[in-house]
Amino acid sequence: MNIFLWILQAILAFLYAVGGYYKAFQFEGLAKQFNEIPHGGWRALGVLEMIGAVLLIVPAVTNWMPVLTPFAATVLAVETLVISAVYARHSMKLTAANPLVWSLVMLLLVTFVAYGRYTILPLT
């Protein structure tokens, strides 16, 4: 189970880092399509995702404040839930092109990591 959680953490860290970079620095397409969130909001969400991606891995690897890993996963889960609500307002189609589908998958995975690292296999 520990190896599975590490694999999930690495995958999620990569996906959140890439998604955060896109939201923070190349948000024009998102801002046009999803205008509920202003440009500054997209940047803030992107920075939050990039910081969360780092905190999914670094505290656990260095054993420096390992409680930050489940905390970061929880914050990312809440942020992903909010983004999913924004996406759901535009389309509920279950297609691969719909960002709602991908954000819901990410929500489930990051919630599992938060639960697993806090309850099942804490890093302390």
Side-chain angles (χ1 to χ4, degrees), residues 58-66 123-124:
V58 173
V61 169
T62 62
N63 206 19
W64 176 78
M65 296 183 66
L123 292 166
T124 56

Side-chain angles (χ1 to χ4, degrees), residues 22-68:
Y22 181 75
K23 286 180 184 108
F25 301 112
Q26 300 183 356
F27 56 85
E28 290 85 13
L30 288 170
K32 288 177 188 172
Q33 188 176 4
F34 304 105
N35 56 5
E36 291 91 354
I37 301 174
H39 294 291
W42 284 113
R43 283 192 179 182
L45 289 173
V47 170
L48 176 74
E49 286 185 8
M50 289 187 291
I51 292 170
V54 170
L55 291 177
L56 279 177
I57 300 293
V58 173
V61 169
T62 62
N63 206 19
W64 176 78
M65 296 183 66
V67 73
L68 288 177

Side-chain angles (χ1 to χ4, degrees), residues 8-122:
L8 272 181
Q9 282 174 246
I11 292 169
L12 287 170
F14 174 75
L15 291 174
Y16 274 108
V18 171
Y21 176 83
Y22 181 75
K23 286 180 184 108
F25 301 112
Q26 300 183 356
F27 56 85
E28 290 85 13
L30 288 170
K32 288 177 188 172
Q33 188 176 4
F34 304 105
N35 56 5
E36 291 91 354
I37 301 174
H39 294 291
W42 284 113
R43 283 192 179 182
L45 289 173
V47 170
L48 176 74
E49 286 185 8
M50 289 187 291
I51 292 170
V54 170
L55 291 177
L56 279 177
I57 300 293
V58 173
V61 169
T62 62
N63 206 19
W64 176 78
M65 296 183 66
V67 73
L68 288 177
T69 297
F71 178 73
T74 304
V75 170
L76 287 172
V78 171
E79 183 263 345
T80 305
L81 183 65
V82 171
I83 290 292
S84 296
V86 171
Y87 293 154
R89 292 186 65 188
H90 289 275
S91 176
M92 295 291 284
K93 294 179 187 175
L94 294 177
T95 64
N98 188 355
L100 174 63
V101 174
W102 297 105
S103 67
L104 290 177
V105 170
M106 296 274 288
L107 174 64
L108 290 174
L109 293 176
V110 78
T111 302
F112 180 75
V113 167
Y115 175 74
R117 284 299 178 207
Y118 187 74
T119 322
I120 299 172
L121 291 169

